[in-house]
Amino acid sequence: MKVIIAEKPSVGRELAKVFGANTRKDGYIEGKGYSFTWAFGHLLQLAPPQEYGYYGWRRTNLPMLPQKFKLSIRKVKTKDGFVEDPGVRKQLDIIQKLFDEASEIIVATDAGREGELIFRYIYSYLKCKKPFKRLWISSQTDEAIKDGFRNLKPGSEYDTLFSSAHCRSVSDWLVGMNATQALSLSAGGKDVLSLGRVQTPTLAMICARYLEIKNFVPKIYYQIAIQVDKDGQVFKAISADSFDTKEAGEEVFAKVRDVASGFAAGAQIVDVEAKPRKEPPPLLHDLSSLQQEANKKYGYTADQTLGLLQNLYESKLVTYPRTGSRYIGDDVFATVPQLISSLLEHPAFGKQAGNLQEAKLTKRSVNAKKVTDHHAVLITGVKPTHLSKDHQAVYDLVAGRMLEAFHQECIKEITKITVESEILFTANGTVIRSAGWRSVFNDTEDDKKDEDNTALPKVKKGEELPLADKALLEKQTKPKAMYNEASLLKALETCGKDIEDEELRDAMKDSGLGTPATRAAIIETLLTREYIIREKRNLVPTAKGLAVYEVVKDKQIAQAELTGQWEKRLEEIRSGASVQEFKAEILDYTRNITQELLVAGISLGQKPEQKANSNATDLVEPEINSK
DNA sequence: GCAAGGTC
């Protein structure tokens, strides 16, 4: 009998279905000479410090550099602390039994670094020696699955991928566990002050932005606004230049030729520019963009959106939620017309679904090369019944975005009128000529400035018009906005770099902080540690968060670039480079950061303590490759 | 008591 192990039940069931296996057992499905089983994500994790003899939180334990890492069963938090997850233990027993009976194992965990690690940790923990092959597919349509099974790879082809995955895991443990204990001890040891490759740069981004805003000195400046009258239709124009002082503004202001100053036609149209602008439909949603949208529209936290989406997924209403791709492959695209028809009776989208049925679908979101472990979030076509208000709202974000993504572009006409009256003024107007995808939610602009006019009257170059009114405006420069969940999620994708272009941002996916599956949890961790709090929709650092930031802000652990550097090295390891050098650097860094933090003496009302004695001399490097 | 990663 062959055993196939998937990363999660949904995939295991899907594979079984394609094979026509349908005998449901506890924790697996049987049929046609195969058994299909699954994990629930990572079942095993690197064992905690005490399993290597590092008891308690003590300076003399640091740095903790286990010679060989152990695995332990995933824990859950209960009222009596952390205990082994009983469900995980049970599933491991089932997998063990199947592996024992197996002639061959087929690895069908997600096609990626963590998917490989999930299987290899199970294999290693169960001390299994059976041969295994690898299924490597990036879409779960029947055809892709059949094709994948015809092209199974030798398991050993992914040994270097496992090496890079284990390196990532061990490095995070070494740096995170040691830095956390070191900083906590240096602050007196009463409080957990956690640090990590992802959470600390995230905290740093929030703190840096907060301080930038706090230290921002607004600058006052002046502009002149005029109301131009074209046959009774009045439009607003703003001076192209601004003035640093009120006096300078007033001097020019006095010369602007409005009707009240005795000018019946004091403004001349210098230039009229009208050009169409095409806005392509947005890409389909990945988890992060969906969380951002839900936060903007409904104020849901990243964690809440993920929870609601997970429920919809478990009810088979939407596809896999923790995806980082905003694209689908051609095979899934072929099912889109059916999905659109499933929305014909939807109260809000029915009409648009009908229109879209007739139209040629835009294929901007169709690109098989950009589908990694999972494709973009879609509805499944199963009709929802009795959804709660919140579930319905999230479902509609998915369904509506699907209609938008395959819709036609929106065509706008952008008009810019330049008016002269002593100085130059400009008026901007935007008119939607063809709503295209924007008709789905009937959303107005998202980038509209309040000084923009919607429509401007038809005027001609050289035309002279009266000024109905003029005003001297006092304005001030504004600081950047505080981070909220939406803007933080976006910043995490690009390590804080501001990139507006959707496709360019997408290209940077691999160099972001955290993953779609973990970002909500990162924010929650910072909240649990009381490093940040929610103030309305903003994420604001606390005194504790700022104190931690002050200690680590110039250290590597607070730099988003650290992840980028690691990723580069891990990719080299995956393509065959030796792990030794990277391993040595990580150990070196662990020793350094631990030492630095122990003497830092964070000022949370505690004074710095004595320098810790070094016990790192005779430690052997941890074994990274399990072979 | 602690990381980051995955999922129910």
Side-chain angles (χ1 to χ4, degrees):
Chain A
M1 180 206 56
K2 292 184 181 179
V3 174
I4 291 148
I5 178 162
E7 179 153 329
K8 44 190 166 274
S10 64
V11 176
R13 288 192 199 103
E14 193 60 34
L15 298 177
K17 200 183 81 191
V18 172
F19 272 72
N22 45 27
T23 314
R24 280 171 176 253
K25 303 275 190 172
D26 194 10
Y28 67 106
I29 298 168
E30 213 175 55
K32 315 271 181 184
Y34 291 87
S35 291
F36 298 85
T37 189
W38 46 77
F40 310 116
H42 276 296
L43 302 182
L44 298 156
Q45 55 193 182
L46 295 179
Q50 60 270 24
E51 297 204 26
Y52 313 97
Y54 304 116
Y55 299 107
W57 289 40
R58 303 152 58 117
R59 285 165 179 269
T60 48
N61 281 342
L62 301 184
M64 305 173 287
L65 307 172
Q67 290 184 38
K68 196 171 180 4
F69 276 89
K70 298 176 183 177
L71 295 171
S72 67
I73 293 184
R74 186 213 292 165
K75 309 289 188 295
V76 280
K77 197 172 185 175
T78 66
K79 49 188 183 301
D80 343 288
F82 284 88
V83 296
E84 249 179 34
D85 186 326
V88 167
R89 157 68 73 184
K90 185 178 166 205
Q91 191 65 14
L92 273 171
D93 288 341
I94 290 164
I95 295 168
Q96 168 105 70
K97 181 183 84 85
L98 292 170
F99 279 7
D100 284 345
E101 296 164 0
S103 57
E104 183 179 87
I105 296 164
I106 296 170
V107 184
T109 47
D110 291 355
R113 195 168 73 198
E114 292 305 320
E116 191 64 27
L117 194 62
I118 286 171
F119 167 71
R120 299 281 186 138
Y121 275 179
I122 293 170
Y123 188 76
S124 160
Y125 184 81
L126 298 179
K127 298 190 169 59
C128 184
K129 302 290 175 213
K130 299 263 168 88
F132 58 88
K133 286 189 179 149
R134 187 68 161 98
L135 175 77
W136 196 268
I137 51 171
S138 58
S139 128
Q140 272 132 35
T141 58
D142 290 11
E143 208 36 59
I145 291 169
K146 284 177 191 158
D147 208 52
F149 271 98
R150 281 190 292 266
N151 290 296
L152 292 174
K153 310 285 185 203
S156 61
E157 242 176 60
Y158 297 88
D159 286 356
T160 57
L161 181 62
F162 167 45
S163 263
S164 78
H166 185 48
C167 253
R168 196 280 305 147
S169 173
V170 163
S171 303
D172 276 327
W173 191 102
L174 287 170
V175 172
M177 295 291 192
N178 281 293
T180 297
Q181 287 201 16
L183 182 69
S184 305
L185 286 169
S186 125
K190 291 189 189 68
D191 208 4
V192 177
L193 299 177
S194 65
L195 295 175
R197 170 179 59 85
V198 176
Q199 63 171 269
T200 305
T202 307
L203 174 65
M205 282 166 53
I206 297 170
C207 290
R209 174 66 62 87
Y210 170 81
L211 293 173
E212 189 186 330
I213 295 166
K214 205 180 130 206
N215 297 326
F216 183 82
V217 184
K219 207 172 146 258
I220 299 204
Y221 66 97
Y222 298 85
Q223 277 187 309
I224 301 169
I226 53 172
Q227 300 279 354
V228 186
D229 187 336
K230 164 73 181 176
D231 304 335
Q233 196 185 342
V234 173
F235 64 94
K236 187 175 177 183
I238 303 283
S239 62
D241 288 331
S242 55
F243 308 94
D244 290 340
T245 63
K246 195 168 185 181
E247 292 70 35
E250 277 171 341
E251 198 189 320
V252 177
F253 178 74
K255 297 180 191 163
V256 174
R257 305 180 291 265
D258 67 329
V259 176
S261 317
F263 294 92
Q268 188 178 26
I269 305 296
V270 183
D271 193 32
V272 181
E273 229 181 286
K275 51 186 177 194
R277 192 171 76 197
K278 293 172 180 175
E279 284 185 330
L283 294 172
L284 289 165
H285 275 310
D286 63 8
L287 174 60
S288 187
S289 64
L290 194 53
Q291 284 169 321
Q292 291 169 43
E293 194 85 9
N295 183 251
K296 282 185 212 156
K297 268 196 178 154
Y298 305 111
Y300 298 152
T301 69
D303 205 41
Q304 286 170 329
T305 302
L306 176 55
L308 291 164
L309 206 56
Q310 172 72 17
N311 298 146
L312 293 171
Y313 167 64
E314 284 165 18
S315 315
K316 309 216 184 307
L317 297 171
V318 302
T319 60
Y320 180 75
R322 291 175 215 82
T323 175
S325 175
R326 303 188 64 175
Y327 296 87
I328 56 174
D330 298 279
D331 46 4
V332 178
F333 179 63
T335 70
V336 165
Q338 282 162 259
L339 300 180
I340 292 172
S341 337
S342 78
L343 292 172
L344 284 171
E345 284 147 44
H346 188 288
F349 302 137
K351 188 162 163 276
Q352 287 302 325
N355 292 344
L356 206 51
Q357 266 190 321
E358 319 283 303
K360 183 171 185 294
L361 301 182
T362 299
K363 290 183 78 175
R364 186 168 181 241
S365 286
V366 184
N367 187 341
K369 290 199 187 99
K370 294 197 174 179
V371 176
T372 44
D373 293 3
H374 306 277
H375 60 64
V377 187
L378 285 177
I379 58 168
T380 56
V382 175
K383 294 228 176 75
T385 48
H386 310 300
L387 289 182
S388 76
K389 186 171 140 283
D390 292 342
H391 287 100
Q392 185 72 49
V394 172
Y395 179 86
D396 285 354
L397 285 180
V398 177
R401 173 51 61 90
M402 180 185 79
L403 296 177
E404 288 182 323
F406 296 107
H407 226 290
Q408 286 79 46
E409 57 197 9
C410 166
I411 300 170
K412 290 175 175 172
E413 192 174 274
I414 310 288
T415 313
K416 186 179 164 190
I417 301 177
T418 309
V419 188
E420 191 268 320
S421 176
E422 177 66 21
I423 53 166
L424 293 180
F425 297 84
T426 54
N428 292 305
T430 303
V431 180
I432 293 184
R433 290 282 170 235
S434 163
W437 61 271
R438 282 195 184 273
S439 56
V440 175
F441 283 102
N442 230 339
D443 273 346
T444 45
E445 308 292 302
D446 31 36
D447 54 350
K448 192 173 168 333
K449 299 191 201 85
D450 33 325
E451 277 161 3
D452 282 3
N453 301 276
T454 39
L456 287 170
K458 287 265 174 256
V459 293
K460 282 198 235 35
K461 193 171 162 177
E463 204 170 338
E464 291 187 347
L465 299 169
L467 288 192
D469 200 5
K470 63 176 180 179
L472 184 62
L473 310 174
E474 185 181 287
K475 296 187 172 179
Q476 41 173 272
T477 53
K478 288 199 194 86
K480 286 182 185 159
M482 207 85 84
Y483 275 120
N484 56 35
E485 302 231 1
S487 58
L488 183 63
L489 285 168
K490 189 167 150 192
L492 288 175
E493 290 187 79
T494 55
C495 291
K497 293 180 192 67
D498 250 343
I499 297 172
E500 274 309 313
D501 186 81
E502 211 175 15
E503 283 179 338
L504 203 62
R505 268 214 313 277
D506 198 78
M508 287 193 57
K509 282 264 158 78
D510 298 333
S511 45
L513 271 180
T515 68
T518 57
R519 289 196 184 117
I522 294 161
I523 299 174
E524 296 304 313
T525 298
L526 296 178
L527 288 160
T528 312
R529 298 272 172 272
E530 296 173 319
Y531 286 168
I532 60 172
I533 48 165
R534 289 198 177 95
E535 247 172 38
K536 293 180 191 153
R537 287 195 189 182
N538 288 338
L539 298 171
V540 182
T542 60
K544 193 199 275 187
L546 288 165
V548 169
Y549 171 69
E550 280 306 318
V551 175
V552 300
K553 66 178 179 191
D554 296 322
K555 302 185 193 302
Q556 268 202 56
I557 198 169
Q559 317 304 319
E561 291 76 20
L562 182 65
T563 291
Q565 292 162 19
W566 284 24
E567 286 299 335
K568 186 165 171 285
R569 304 298 295 273
L570 292 169
E571 175 51 27
E572 286 165 10
I573 290 169
R574 191 208 58 78
S575 59
S578 143
V579 298
Q580 298 304 324
E581 203 185 317
F582 182 64
K583 197 182 1 174
E585 282 171 33
I586 293 293
L587 287 170
D588 234 32
Y589 182 62
T590 303
R591 292 190 189 98
N592 291 342
I593 183 86
T594 306
Q595 197 57 31
E596 278 177 32
L597 291 169
L598 279 175
V599 298
I602 178 172
S603 51
L604 292 176
Q606 307 290 327
K607 61 177 182 208
E609 290 178 43
Q610 286 296 302
K611 184 170 172 278
N613 57 340
S614 169
N615 67 336
T617 45
D618 61 347
L619 277 161
V620 186
E621 291 175 358
E623 203 170 329
I624 299 243
N625 209 325
S626 70
K627 275 179 280 184

